[in-house]
Amino acid sequence: MFTSNHCCYLLPLLWREKGTYYALHLGGTYFRILRVLLGDQRSYLDVQDVERHPIPSHLMNSTSEVLFNFLAFSLERFIEKEENGSDSQGVRRELAFTFSFPVKHTSISSGVLIKWTKGFEISEMVGQDIAECLQGALNRRGLDMHVAALVNDTVGALSLGYYHDPDTVVAVVFGTGSNACYLERTDAIIKCQGLLTTSGSMVVNMEWGNFWSSHLPRTSYDIDLDAESSNANDMGFEKMISGMYLGDIVRRVILRMSEDSDIFGPISPVLSEPYVLRTNSVSAIHEDDTPELQEVARILKDIGVSDVPLKVRKLVVKICDVVTRRAGRLAAAGIAGILKKIGRDGSGGITSGRSRSEIQMQKRTVVAVEGGLYMNYTMFREYMEEALVEILGEEVSQYVVVKAMEDGSSIGSALLVASLQS
Ligand code: BGC
């Protein structure tokens, strides 16, 4: 169903070297910094400090220098606070840079930005080595920190999932954007023919947000949203299933209805503003359990739609339900597609060359999932999980475990850095 559109990771997935490791995660809406302590025992993993901040919106279309100076400054502040004046002279800190955008890797610690997604628009950075940009900014601040790995968020989540449970072979992010990666046999990756890895496997970052097929049920709302976005004709799947866009699809439906009828009263000018309705409001509308739907009324008022009767508020809840249900079901189809590809859907898999026993025996399979949409929007999560069971069937589903992985991408990236030290 999906193909890896640009890169394969070659990761040892072997732990570990005890010590302290840092991770900086540049996602879509937030950036996170954390420090992880690994002890002697395999099970000793202590996430000591986590900072999570919204990415200031002006940075998303600033310059490379402004963005990386800001990240380096934030790291410096984090370290100062956390080391609290203790003598750290001569201590070189190892950093994982979790970068949630499409990258062409040139090594585990370097790679060039292919394109921006999720509303970022710093065109001068496309084609630049992202790790080098961060390292340069750290050096300019005189911070003794080494960018030891450049990691996609899905790969970080897979690493943490694998650390806790070696049956984890797929990781998916449903956040501002969406993407998946999975563990593939090296000989099944056409790009990597002849390449040997000790485990015989590799992590494939699919960048599935860019998946496209004429079979995707695309509506006029999707087409308009795409055409008016900063990355038109790109990331079609992401625009149907991820947190950045669900709110705007709902907004477009309400706007069209209010243009075509008078059920919402006079047309609200606020409703014409792209992205004015956020997905967390869609979730709040959807999950409003007050008898008079007061939360729905409050959110509608914020977007200039006041005093609508209960029956219209119920209609708005229905719109949120339809948009989210479609997203959840498409997301499940994506996961089922991966399981089919690797022979974990009970069918034996698309890739030839699997042994008979591999085909016949359904193995326990863990899918690590991370991202605000999945974590915070219960109805999305329920629709996704329900559809996955529907597609795989009750029997196979018993072997497929979907596991939430909070901060998995950042913690897992730090673990990868630890694995590189050994
Ligand atoms: C990016 C991916 C990322 C995903 C989830 C997408 O927009 O292209 O690299 O993994 O968002 O954060």
Side-chain angles (χ1 to χ4, degrees):
M1 184 175 178
F2 298 101
T3 55
S4 153
N5 69 353
H6 72 278
C7 77
C8 307
Y9 285 86
L10 175 57
L11 299 174
L13 290 180
L14 291 169
W15 325 115
R16 32 90 61 57
E17 194 62 7
K18 67 173 183 168
T20 303
Y21 301 93
Y22 293 83
L24 166 69
H25 179 185
L26 185 67
T29 310
Y30 294 95
F31 73 95
R32 287 182 199 75
I33 305 175
L34 56 82
R35 188 170 70 124
V36 167
L37 191 66
L38 289 181
D40 278 330
Q41 306 297 315
R42 187 188 152 83
S43 57
Y44 189 81
L45 164 68
D46 187 11
V47 182
Q48 297 206 312
D49 208 354
V50 187
E51 267 187 18
R52 185 169 179 264
H53 302 285
I55 300 168
S57 56
H58 71 272
L59 291 183
M60 294 165 76
N61 47 18
S62 56
T63 63
S64 160
E65 204 183 325
V66 170
L67 175 67
F68 284 100
N69 282 350
F70 172 81
L71 294 176
F73 171 71
S74 307
L75 263 168
E76 189 179 44
R77 260 197 342 208
F78 177 86
I79 287 166
E80 273 169 12
K81 190 179 86 185
E82 178 252 348
E83 288 179 354
N84 200 14
S86 62
D87 184 17
S88 53
Q89 280 268 313
V91 179
R92 194 173 80 152
R93 305 169 191 92
E94 297 295 322
L95 176 73
F97 186 17
T98 318
F99 185 70
S100 303
F101 300 91
V103 161
K104 183 170 172 49
H105 270 261
T106 42
S107 77
I108 184 74
S109 58
S110 60
V112 296
L113 174 66
I114 296 175
K115 62 186 176 188
W116 285 113
T117 58
K118 300 179 278 200
F120 275 72
E121 284 182 276
I122 310 174
S123 54
E124 68 185 44
M125 270 178 67
V126 174
Q128 283 198 49
D129 188 322
I130 297 306
E132 207 176 280
C133 291
L134 179 61
Q135 189 67 67
L138 295 172
N139 296 348
R140 284 197 294 279
R141 289 211 81 83
L143 208 58
D144 206 354
M145 192 162 231
H146 169 234
V147 183
L150 180 64
V151 186
N152 184 263
D153 51 353
T154 55
V155 179
L158 182 69
S159 307
L160 184 65
Y162 189 88
Y163 178 81
H164 286 307
D165 186 337
D167 286 337
T168 311
V169 288
V170 179
V172 192
V173 171
F174 298 114
T176 308
S178 183
N179 188 14
C181 74
Y182 70 99
L183 209 54
E184 180 59 283
R185 288 178 8 236
T186 317
D187 63 356
I189 305 172
I190 297 167
K191 273 185 185 175
C192 303
Q193 291 301 313
L195 194 81
L196 291 176
T197 67
T198 37
S199 64
S201 310
M202 277 184 125
V203 179
V204 176
N205 168 10
M206 299 172 72
E207 284 297 340
W208 84 1
N210 202 24
F211 171 67
W212 186 244
S213 156
S214 56
H215 297 294
L216 277 177
R218 210 173 175 218
T219 63
S220 60
Y221 306 108
D222 301 306
I223 294 168
D224 293 348
L225 181 150
D226 177 49
E228 291 162 31
S229 66
S230 59
N231 55 346
N233 298 317
D234 212 9
M235 307 301 281
F237 192 52
E238 173 161 288
K239 286 172 183 163
M240 296 172 94
I241 64 167
S242 79
M244 172 154 177
Y245 303 101
L246 297 188
D248 208 53
I249 302 175
V250 171
R251 177 192 69 84
R252 285 166 187 277
V253 178
I254 300 176
L255 178 62
R256 175 89 58 87
M257 284 179 148
S258 76
E259 284 165 350
D260 293 352
S261 74
D262 57 5
I263 54 168
F264 289 101
I267 301 174
S268 150
V270 182
L271 205 48
S272 303
E273 280 173 34
Y275 303 102
V276 70
L277 185 67
R278 320 288 300 191
T279 301
N280 52 8
S281 299
V282 170
S283 155
I285 291 176
H286 205 172
E287 289 163 10
D288 184 356
D289 55 7
T290 60
E292 293 296 309
L293 298 180
Q294 282 134 355
E295 187 60 9
V296 179
R298 189 191 62 74
I299 293 167
L300 285 177
K301 195 162 171 229
D302 282 351
I303 52 171
V305 181
S306 304
D307 300 326
V308 288
L310 183 59
K311 133 168 148 239
V312 176
R313 300 205 286 276
K314 283 187 179 161
L315 178 66
V316 171
V317 176
K318 183 71 191 161
I319 297 168
C320 296
D321 185 65
V322 170
V323 171
T324 301
R325 184 162 183 264
R326 182 187 71 158
R329 293 179 73 78
L330 285 173
I335 296 175
I338 300 175
L339 298 178
K340 189 174 173 69
K341 172 73 177 67
I342 57 175
R344 302 288 184 105
D345 69 329
S347 71
I350 295 170
T351 310
S352 60
R354 294 187 195 279
S355 69
R356 274 191 81 75
S357 57
E358 247 184 312
I359 293 172
Q360 282 164 4
M361 219 178 61
Q362 180 64 39
K363 292 183 187 149
R364 180 173 176 275
T365 301
V366 179
V367 179
V369 186
E370 156 155 38
L373 181 65
Y374 179 82
M375 298 287 188
N376 305 325
Y377 195 163
T378 314
M379 291 306 292
F380 170 84
R381 195 166 60 232
E382 285 181 8
Y383 280 138
M384 195 279 273
E385 289 174 359
E386 179 188 273
L388 194 58
V389 174
E390 198 180 310
I391 299 168
L392 297 174
E394 296 282 346
E395 207 186 315
V396 173
S397 300
Q398 290 170 24
Y399 296 91
V400 177
V401 183
V402 177
K403 258 195 202 169
M405 210 53 57
E406 185 137 30
D407 282 329
S409 44
S410 322
I411 303 168
S413 302
L415 287 176
L416 283 175
V417 168
S419 78
L420 294 170
Q421 313 301 310
S422 33

